[in-house]
Amino acid sequence: MPTVIEPKLIAGNANKPLATAIARRMSLYRGMSVGLVDARVERFNDQEIFVEVYENVRGEDMFILQSTSRPANDNLMELLIMADALRRSSAARITAVIPYFGYARQDRRTKARTPITAKLVANMIAEAGIERVLTMDLHATQIQGFFDIPVDNLYASPVFALDIMKHFEGELEDVMVVSPDVGGVARARELAKRINAPLSIVDKRREKPGEIAEMTVIGDVTGKKCIIVDDICDTAGTLCKAAEILMNHGATEVHAYITHGVLSGPAVERVTNSVMKSLVITDSIAATDAVAAAPNIRVVPTAPMFAQAILNIWNGTSVSSLFETDTLGPIYEGIL
C-alpha cells in the first residue's frame, strides 16, 4: 500500500508562539500529534543565518511558518534559507505560510526611479524552491499576480465579523464600519456586509509621507459605535487621528480592527492615549511586551484558520471555504 505523506511544519524565529499554536490546532483537528520539525535557525557572530534540519524530510510535504515582519530582512532571509535547506534535503513540496507578508506596501512605482520590492520578494521566494504561498490580507491583492506559483490569500474579515457579533451583541444596529481611506473601501465594505452594518469613509490627504494634511468624514456617524477597519497599523498616527475626527463628528465610541499590528515606534503609546476604546489585531505578528501590556489592545488568534488552511492544502480541498463565516464559526467556537 502507498505510504500516506503527513504534513510537516517547520518554524523560523519570526513568530514562534503562532507556529506552536498552529501545530497544537492541527493536532486537535487530526486527533494525532503534529509537532514542529526539530531544526535550528541561528546566527553566526557576523549575523549570517544558518539552518540545520535534524529530522529526515525526504519526500515530505513541508510547511514553513514564518512572517516577514520586523526585522523584515532577517526574517525574509530565514524563510529563503529554510526553503533552500528543505529543497536540498529532497522535500516533496514546500509551502511558505507567511501570515504577514513584508514589503507588500512596495507593490507599485509611486514615482520615478523607485523599486517594486514586492515583486522582487516574490521572485526570491519562487527561486528558493517554494512551490506555494499561504498568507493573510495582502496589502494589495494584485501581489498574488507577482508570483508564478499558487498563492492562497486568507482574509481576517470573517474572524473579525465573529468577534464583532460576540462583543457587540445586541448593539449591532448602532455599529458603523469605517474605512480610514478611500483605498480601503473594498475591505471595509466586505466586513460591513458580513455584519449588516452601514459604511462610512475617512478621506485623508497627505502633504508628504507620514504627515496628514486634512481628514474629512464621508457619511453621518452621529450616535454610532464606529469600527475602523484596515490591514496594517504601523505608527498608528493615521488611525488615532481618524478616531479623533470620528468622535468630533458625533460618534459615541471608536474601535479599530486591524489585521497586522506592526505597531512600530510610538504606536502603542499613541493607541493607549487615544480616544479609541479598543484596538483589535491578529497574532500574524508576534506581540511585543508593550502590546501585551496595553489596556486597550486585544489580540485575536489566527492559528485555527491557518491550521485548517494548511490541512486543506495538504489534502487538496478548498481553501476559499474558509472565507465564509459559517465555515469559521465552528472552528472558532469557544475561542473568541
Side-chain angles (χ1 to χ4, degrees), residues 93-113:
R93 182 176 67 169
I94 304 170
T95 300
V97 181
I98 312 174
Y100 171 69
F101 187 87
Y103 285 108
R105 285 176 281 184
Q106 298 185 47
D107 63 306
R108 64 193 185 280
R109 296 186 69 189
T110 55
K111 57 183 72 172
R113 297 176 296 281

Side-chain angles (χ1 to χ4, degrees), residues 51-73:
V51 173
E52 183 177 6
V53 182
Y54 294 124
E55 296 181 27
N56 178 30
V57 296
R58 183 180 298 274
E60 299 288 359
D61 194 357
M62 299 299 303
F63 292 83
I64 305 174
L65 310 177
Q66 178 81 338
S67 281
T68 50
S69 50
R70 183 178 60 245
N73 298 332

Side-chain angles (χ1 to χ4, degrees), residues 85-299:
L86 294 173
R87 179 170 60 89
R88 294 177 187 277
S89 303
S90 302
R93 182 176 67 169
I94 304 170
T95 300
V97 181
I98 312 174
Y100 171 69
F101 187 87
Y103 285 108
R105 285 176 281 184
Q106 298 185 47
D107 63 306
R108 64 193 185 280
R109 296 186 69 189
T110 55
K111 57 183 72 172
R113 297 176 296 281
T114 56
I116 305 178
T117 315
K119 170 59 176 169
L120 173 63
V121 171
N123 290 344
M124 293 166 67
I125 287 173
E127 285 297 318
I130 291 166
E131 298 170 53
R132 178 182 288 271
V133 170
L134 173 63
T135 186
M136 183 174 65
D137 271 355
L138 282 170
H139 182 64
T141 54
Q142 69 264 21
I143 291 174
Q144 295 174 82
F146 292 176
F147 289 87
D148 292 324
I149 57 177
V151 177
D152 292 304
N153 184 32
L154 299 176
Y155 297 97
S157 59
V159 182
F160 285 163
L162 290 171
D163 191 83
I164 290 168
M165 285 187 283
K166 177 182 178 182
H167 285 84
F168 292 87
E169 188 175 2
E171 303 174 311
L172 285 175
E173 66 277 3
D174 298 326
V175 168
M176 174 172 275
V177 175
V178 180
S179 173
D181 53 43
V182 175
V185 170
R187 183 181 298 106
R189 186 186 293 120
E190 171 67 18
L191 180 61
K193 284 169 58 180
R194 289 180 182 276
I195 62 173
N196 195 27
L199 177 66
S200 180
I201 304 167
V202 176
D203 180 34
K204 65 184 178 187
R205 300 180 186 179
R206 294 183 186 270
E207 295 269 324
K208 55 185 179 180
E211 291 186 10
I212 302 166
E214 183 183 351
M215 278 188 165
T216 306
V217 178
I218 302 172
D220 185 10
V221 298
T222 305
K224 294 291 186 179
K225 298 179 188 292
C226 290
I227 296 178
I228 302 173
V229 182
D230 209 352
D231 64 323
I232 296 174
C233 177
D234 194 344
T235 60
T238 300
L239 183 64
C240 292
K241 186 163 185 179
E244 190 176 321
I245 294 291
L246 290 168
M247 291 296 289
N248 291 341
H249 278 71
T252 57
E253 295 178 4
V254 178
H255 305 261
Y257 278 74
I258 310 292
T259 306
H260 307 297
V262 177
L263 300 176
S264 58
V268 175
E269 183 180 356
R270 282 175 175 171
V271 171
T272 302
N273 297 328
S274 74
V275 297
M276 271 190 299
K277 195 164 184 181
S278 70
L279 166 62
V280 180
I281 58 176
T282 74
D283 55 358
S284 64
I285 298 173
T288 62
D289 292 340
V291 170
N296 59 343
I297 299 179
R298 185 163 55 85
V299 180

Side-chain angles (χ1 to χ4, degrees), residues 305-323:
M305 179 168 57
F306 274 110
Q308 189 62 59
I310 289 169
L311 289 173
N312 288 7
I313 290 171
W314 166 66
N315 61 31
T317 55
S318 172
V319 173
S320 62
S321 63
L322 297 175
F323 301 167

